Amino acid sequence: MTWSRHADVMTSARRLLVDPDTSGFYHCISRCVRRAWLCGIDPYDGKSYEHRRGWVEQRLLELADIFAVGVYAYAVMSNHVHVVLRIDPALAASWPDQEVAMRWVRLFPATVNGEVDVPACRVKEQTLLGNADRLSVCRQRLGSLAWFMKALNEPIARRANREDACTGRFWEGRYKCQALLDEAAVLTCMSYVDLNPIRAGLAENLEASAHTTAARRIEAVRSNPLNARLPLSSINTTIVSDYLPITTEDYLDLIDWTARLSRGDKRGRVDSTEPP
C-alpha cells in the first residue's frame, strides 16, 4: 500500500502496517477531539493557542534525539499534526547497553517537584543496566514507531488539559499511520506535509510556514549555504539518515513550485508573482 493524501484510506490494522523489526518510512497524523484547538485562534471562543505549536515542535525535536528515528517532515497545524519519519529498529539494536540506558532515562528522567534530579537519573541508569530483561524492552521501544508517537502525544495532551483545566481525551483515538513504500512516495508525502500551512491559507510562502520542516530547512541553508547542495535527509543529525535522491535546494525549489499551483480543493497557494 502506497501513500495517499486521503485519510480515509488509512484503515489497515497497525500490526499489519508496521513491522517492529524492519526500518521504514511512515506518515503519521494526530488530530484533536472535543473541537479542541491545538494551536492558532479557536473560532468558538476567540482564545489563542498559538504558543502550543512550540510545545509540539520542541517535543518532536527532543524525541528525535532520543529514539532511533529520522524526522523528515512535520507540520504543526491548528488542530492536527503531521509527521513523516523513518523508524530504524536495527539502529537501536546496535546501541551499547550504556547508550540505551542513557536514552531511556532522558525520555523518562527521575524528577523532584517537577525538576530533573541528575543524581537520581544516574542511579536510574545503573539500575537499568543491572536488569537485562528490562533493558531489552527499553531497547525495543526506542526503535518503535508506536512508542515514539506515544511519547510525542501523551505529554502534549497532559499539558493542554492542565491549561484547559479539563480531563479526558485530547487526541482523536490512535494516530493515523500510512507506510511510504518507495522514495517517490516519501518525497510526495513530505511536500504535502510541508505545504499544509500554505494550502490551508495560513502562510503566504514557505518562509512564513512556521513550525514546519520547510521553514527549518530554509533557515539551515541561510545559516550555511553549503547545506543547499547536501542530499536531502532527516532534520535530526544525531541519527544515520537515509538520503533521498534530491538535494535540499532542489527539494525546496520543488515544493516552492508546487505551492504556486492552484488546487480546486485547497484555498491557499503562493502568489505566482512572488520571487522564488
Side-chain angles (χ1 to χ4, degrees):
M1 183 185 298
T2 55
W3 174 80
S4 165
R5 72 170 61 92
H6 301 291
D8 57 2
V9 303
M10 299 182 182
T11 56
S12 297
R14 192 69 49 79
R15 62 183 174 80
L16 300 177
L17 184 66
V18 181
D19 184 344
D21 300 317
T22 304
S23 62
F25 284 91
Y26 299 93
H27 173 210
C28 300
I29 307 172
S30 297
R31 296 184 182 277
C32 298
V33 297
R34 66 167 187 271
R35 298 190 307 184
W37 275 59
L38 174 62
C39 306
I41 299 176
D42 190 334
Y44 293 101
D45 60 14
K47 186 175 180 180
S48 175
Y49 298 95
E50 184 67 20
H51 58 283
R52 292 180 180 174
R53 292 183 191 267
W55 295 0
V56 178
E57 187 171 36
Q58 180 183 14
R59 181 64 177 173
L60 182 62
L61 297 176
E62 288 174 353
L63 295 177
D65 283 340
I66 296 174
F67 280 78
V69 166
V71 176
Y72 284 75
Y74 65 80
V76 185
M77 302 299 290
S78 296
N79 63 357
H80 64 284
V81 178
H82 291 273
V83 184
V84 176
L85 51 80
R86 180 180 183 273
I87 198 76
D88 191 353
L91 177 62
S94 73
W95 286 335
D97 290 351
Q98 183 68 50
E99 185 167 0
V100 172
M102 178 193 69
R103 288 173 180 264
W104 189 258
V105 173
R106 282 181 61 197
L107 183 61
F108 296 108
T111 60
V112 175
N113 297 324
E115 298 294 328
V116 174
D117 186 327
V118 176
C121 285
R122 294 196 188 101
V123 171
K124 188 173 181 178
E125 284 184 25
Q126 293 305 312
T127 302
L128 183 56
L129 286 168
N131 187 336
D133 290 341
R134 177 61 179 169
L135 191 69
S136 176
V137 170
C138 295
R139 185 188 299 278
Q140 183 275 328
R141 290 176 176 176
L142 288 171
S144 163
L145 175 64
W147 270 84
F148 180 88
M149 294 302 296
K150 174 186 175 73
L152 173 63
N153 287 342
E154 288 189 358
I156 299 300
R158 289 194 296 268
R159 192 171 180 181
N161 280 349
R162 284 196 300 270
E163 185 176 68
D164 295 341
C166 67
T167 58
R169 286 183 178 270
F170 181 77
W171 299 105
E172 185 183 75
R174 297 188 70 187
Y175 63 92
K176 293 181 172 64
C177 176
Q178 185 71 17
L180 307 175
L181 302 182
D182 56 36
E183 292 172 339
V186 174
L187 287 169
T188 300
C189 189
M190 286 175 62
S191 65
Y192 166 75
V193 169
D194 274 326
L195 292 178
N196 252 246
I198 292 173
R199 292 308 191 196
L202 302 176
E204 294 183 352
N205 52 45
L206 294 175
E207 296 175 61
S209 299
H211 306 291
T212 65
T213 32
R216 180 169 289 274
R217 291 185 194 279
I218 289 171
E219 182 60 32
V221 168
R222 284 183 171 170
S223 64
N224 183 357
L226 293 177
N227 288 329
R229 303 309 304 168
L230 294 176
L232 190 65
S233 64
S234 63
I235 60 168
N236 50 315
T237 58
T238 59
I239 187 171
V240 178
S241 300
D242 261 18
Y243 295 103
L244 296 170
I246 187 172
T247 65
T248 298
E249 180 179 43
D250 288 342
Y251 172 72
L252 292 173
D253 286 344
L254 172 65
I255 58 176
D256 178 73
W257 176 82
T258 305
R260 295 167 190 270
L261 302 177
S262 296
R263 277 185 50 183
D265 60 336
K266 301 292 182 181
R267 62 179 182 272
R269 69 182 181 93
V270 173
D271 188 337
S272 60
T273 62
E274 181 174 316

